[in-house]
Amino acid sequence: MFTDFGRYILLLKSVFKRPEKWNIYSKNIFNEMVYIGVESIYLIGIISLFVGAVMTLQIAFQLQSDLIPRTIIGSVNRDSAILELSPTISALVLAGKIGSSISSEIGTMRVTEQIDALEIMGINAPGYLILPKILAGITMIPLLVVISIGLAILGGYMGGSFSGAISGADYYRGITEGFNPYTIAVSLVKAFFFGFIITSVSAYQGFYVKGSALEVGRASTKTVVISCISILCADYVITGLML
Amino acid sequence: MIEIKDIHKSFDDNYVLKGISATFTDGMNNLIIGGSGSGKTTLLKCMVGLHAPDQGSVIYDGRDFTRLNTEERIDIRKEIGMLFQNSALFDSMTVEENIMFPLNMFTNQSKEEKLDRVNFCLERVDLKGKNKLYPSELSGGMKKRVGIARAISMQPRYLFVDEPNSGLDPKTAILIDELINEITDEYNITTVVVTHDMNSVMGIGEKIIFLYDGYKEWEGSNQEIVNADNKQLNDFVFASKFAQAAREKM
């Protein structure tokens, strides 16, 4: 485990070396942004809408009391979405979608000697392959989280209204009352670190694959497991430090 | 000229190379031959810096590659072209993009100049007009030729070739050998070919190093190999029934 961590740090050191040509890297960064960000919007959107809707129903179920105003349902749903559900669930889903893909892509390049070919040419392979993914991850995942927050709150409105658990007016008043913008900052910090974890851990697993296609598959599975655990640990640490 | 001195390499407790020294001459096809597991590919990877040798030196025209820092190594690597066993073409790029890739990374040429160079390299390997195909659309022999085109795109001083004939039919294998031979002559480069293919050995083996169990067992040319007095080498060269029959007729 310590050997792996040491190699991970050394790999990151190579990743952040000065690029050979920024214009080629920037093209790769935009391509990765499209893949990581734009192509994940649909999945994150669907999940967020349903999570928001279900959360509203569950909160309404748990807060059935004449002493508690119905607007609380909106407030709790909003803060849950901002602080925990949107960043963490989005990150766990993206660890599966993007993490396994990055690991497989780089792992396949390793076993088919494409990474060796880059190194023979004198190109810093970790920088060329991994840096654009990390930069795309730390910029696009926070954006996805912002979209997810919006859709989770919208989902809560729709779920609450359609089921009759809460009226639209109460829900709206709930989500606008007592809003603390600091919670958005916490959420974005989480998303930034989750983006870094997903892209760097998956790239590390792929970069050091040895063997054949079978090992690429195993590395991909390992990526998802390690990324998910790392995300949950980072979630706890960031929450503890910031709240 | 490339000189290797006392190269040792092990992986955990497995000693693969046990003190190999040799000189690879300019303008010549230098072959490293040997059976499976003899250390050929490991030696090649030590020479190009994909593996760090445990001990010994790799000297490119007086520059000791093993003692250089990363920046200095990159300078030498820009002078190296390599054809990998499975061609190692970038899957996501077309033939044109594959060949243009090193030019994009290391030159400031205009797009027209780079395209001219790509077309020249493709013509040189007899693949004119295949610019827009992806590696998945190419046959094994075509992939090898694109690999050679990419390797020569930066006009290398040193060309390394790992098992150029693996997975090819005999006719295509001979075409690839001839192409390597022509390019070596044309550019006067130092070519190092790792192979266990006897057709290559007899066809282009101007200088041959035979490895056995991690040691350099024999050194000579394709003219000398048939009459060499070395049991391991003879077992390797005359392993096939066809070769044994040919030997009996000699």
Side-chain angles (χ1 to χ4, degrees):
Chain A
M1 186 183 158
F2 288 112
T3 312
D4 270 333
F5 187 69
R7 279 206 308 181
Y8 172 73
I9 298 296
L10 287 174
L11 181 70
L12 288 181
K13 199 179 148 197
S14 305
V15 167
F16 290 104
K17 276 186 183 167
R18 194 166 60 88
E20 290 86 1
K21 269 201 170 174
W22 260 115
N23 61 342
I24 292 175
Y25 274 62
S26 58
K27 192 178 154 197
N28 290 351
I29 291 168
F30 285 117
N31 287 338
E32 294 295 341
M33 280 176 152
V34 170
Y35 174 66
I36 291 175
V38 179
E39 292 181 16
S40 302
I41 287 176
Y42 184 71
L43 177 65
I44 293 296
I46 294 277
I47 290 169
S48 304
L49 273 172
F50 277 94
V51 165
V54 172
M55 275 296 292
T56 301
L57 297 184
Q58 288 182 354
I59 296 164
F61 171 74
Q62 287 178 308
L63 299 182
Q64 278 179 339
S65 165
D66 292 338
L67 300 174
I68 302 170
R70 302 300 284 167
T71 54
I72 288 291
I73 297 168
S75 308
V76 173
N77 192 35
R78 178 199 65 207
D79 287 345
S80 304
I82 294 172
L83 285 171
E84 185 60 23
L85 294 174
S86 284
T88 310
I89 290 183
S90 299
L92 293 174
V93 168
L94 291 171
K97 180 183 180 281
I98 296 165
S100 61
S101 160
I102 290 175
S103 175
S104 307
E105 180 193 330
I106 296 179
T108 303
M109 289 187 77
R110 169 61 76 195
V111 299
T112 56
E113 297 179 311
Q114 292 176 51
I115 292 179
D116 288 347
L118 284 171
E119 285 176 356
I120 291 292
M121 287 176 198
I123 291 161
N124 174 25
Y128 177 77
L129 294 174
I130 303 172
L131 183 65
K133 295 182 196 315
I134 292 181
L135 293 180
I138 60 177
T139 49
M140 294 314 284
I141 292 180
L143 274 174
L144 286 172
V145 166
V146 170
I147 293 168
S148 168
I149 290 169
L151 289 173
I153 292 171
L154 178 68
Y157 175 83
M158 289 160 66
S161 305
F162 293 158
S163 65
I166 179 172
S167 70
D170 281 347
Y171 186 83
Y172 182 76
R173 205 175 329 131
I175 60 170
T176 50
E177 268 175 8
F179 170 63
N180 181 356
Y182 181 68
T183 55
I184 295 284
V186 176
S187 184
L188 290 179
V189 169
K190 282 185 181 182
F192 176 87
F193 281 101
F194 295 165
F196 183 81
I197 288 169
I198 293 167
T199 47
S200 63
V201 167
S202 54
Y204 169 78
Q205 292 296 334
F207 199 81
Y208 288 110
V209 162
K210 275 183 185 166
S212 59
L214 189 67
E215 309 302 325
V216 174
R218 283 186 183 145
S220 183
T221 307
K222 207 172 162 189
T223 291
V224 178
V225 173
I226 295 173
S227 298
C228 289
I229 294 169
S230 306
I231 286 165
L232 295 173
C233 293
D235 187 26
Y236 179 77
V237 172
I238 295 166
T239 307
L241 289 173
M242 294 190 74
L243 292 180
Chain B
M1 187 176 77
I2 307 168
E3 230 181 319
I4 55 171
K5 288 182 183 170
D6 196 28
I7 298 285
H8 289 255
K9 180 67 186 172
S10 61
F11 298 97
D12 299 323
D13 292 334
N14 180 23
Y15 288 84
V16 182
L17 301 175
K18 301 163 184 169
I20 294 178
S21 299
T23 302
F24 301 94
T25 319
D26 289 344
M28 213 180 242
N29 293 303
N30 302 270
L31 267 61
I32 302 172
I33 65 169
S36 299
S38 58
K40 309 181 296 285
T41 300
T42 304
L43 178 60
L44 188 82
K45 288 189 172 178
C46 284
M47 289 176 71
V48 297
L50 289 175
H51 289 327
D54 300 337
Q55 189 186 317
S57 316
V58 179
I59 301 162
Y60 287 83
D61 290 307
R63 297 166 293 175
D64 188 347
F65 191 74
T66 50
R67 308 275 182 277
L68 299 177
N69 64 33
T70 313
E71 298 304 316
E72 291 165 331
R73 280 182 177 211
I74 288 172
D75 288 339
I76 291 187
R77 279 182 164 159
K78 286 177 193 167
E79 298 173 4
I80 292 175
M82 182 156 174
L83 173 63
F84 287 84
Q85 190 170 352
N86 298 312
S87 307
L89 300 177
F90 303 123
D91 298 329
S92 57
M93 298 181 191
T94 61
V95 165
E96 182 178 296
E97 288 164 343
N98 261 285
I99 301 169
M100 205 183 270
F101 183 74
L103 301 170
N104 284 335
M105 292 302 280
F106 296 115
T107 70
N108 290 317
Q109 293 174 358
S110 67
K111 198 170 179 192
E112 288 71 31
E113 286 171 322
K114 285 185 276 193
L115 201 56
D116 283 348
R117 181 71 192 157
V118 168
N119 288 332
F120 170 81
C121 292
L122 277 176
E123 210 168 324
R124 188 67 199 76
V125 298
D126 205 18
L127 283 177
K128 193 179 172 185
K130 306 289 182 191
N131 302 45
K132 299 299 174 195
L133 294 180
Y134 280 89
S136 58
E137 298 170 292
L138 303 174
S139 68
M142 287 164 90
K143 280 183 189 170
K144 297 270 184 191
R145 283 188 278 163
V146 174
I148 293 173
R150 186 175 69 181
I152 63 169
S153 65
M154 291 281 284
Q155 295 178 298
R157 284 173 70 180
Y158 316 101
L159 180 65
F160 292 88
V161 186
D162 188 11
E163 305 279 9
N165 302 330
S166 66
L168 300 182
D169 64 86
K171 203 174 166 186
T172 311
I174 289 168
L175 286 174
I176 297 290
D177 282 344
E178 283 172 356
L179 187 58
I180 292 167
N181 195 29
E182 284 167 21
I183 284 167
T184 304
D185 283 346
E186 206 171 302
Y187 294 98
N188 193 35
I189 51 181
T190 310
T191 300
V192 180
V193 181
V194 162
T195 186
H196 55 233
D197 184 90
M198 282 312 295
N199 284 327
S200 298
V201 173
M202 299 315 290
I204 61 168
E206 294 168 285
K207 182 170 183 178
I208 300 164
I209 290 162
F210 173 65
L211 300 188
Y212 181 79
D213 194 26
Y215 293 101
K216 185 176 85 175
E217 187 71 23
W218 183 86
E219 189 172 349
S221 70
N222 54 2
Q223 305 296 316
E224 298 161 341
I225 199 166
V226 182
N227 300 314
D229 183 22
N230 183 298
K231 187 185 176 305
Q232 272 78 30
L233 179 66
N234 288 337
D235 286 349
F236 174 77
V237 173
F238 300 106
S240 72
K241 289 205 168 93
F242 179 75
Q244 284 166 11
R247 188 189 201 187
E248 279 161 17
K249 282 185 187 170
M250 282 165 65

